[in-house]
Amino acid sequence: MAGKFFGYYKNSNIFFKILFFGVLLIMGVLWLVGSLTKFDRLVMFMVGTIVGGVLINIFLYDHVVEAINYFSNLV
């Protein structure tokens, strides 16, 4: 079966050769990204922290400024 595939691959045009090689590269990259789950969790944590900080800044800005002014007046 492998000999049949490589015989077809050897006689095919350049488009199919690039297509086969591209599929192998894409699967390899996906396998590499899938193995980096701890890195993925770190990225998701950082994105969540940034989004949470922006949402707190948008919705609670007035309360945060009031609290800062209150504590700065105590000192």
Side-chain angles (χ1 to χ4, degrees), residues 5-36:
F5 171 75
F6 286 114
Y8 173 73
Y9 183 76
K10 192 184 294 185
N11 294 329
S12 65
N13 61 11
I14 191 73
F15 173 74
F16 286 115
K17 288 180 181 180
I18 292 173
L19 181 67
F20 288 140
F21 189 67
V23 168
L24 288 176
L25 282 178
I26 290 171
M27 295 306 285
V29 167
L30 289 175
W31 181 41
L32 178 67
V33 168
S35 67
L36 298 174

Side-chain angles (χ1 to χ4, degrees), residues 46-61 64:
M46 295 303 293
V47 168
T49 304
I50 292 169
V51 169
V54 168
L55 290 176
I56 287 173
N57 198 12
I58 290 172
F59 293 113
L60 299 177
Y61 179 75
V64 171

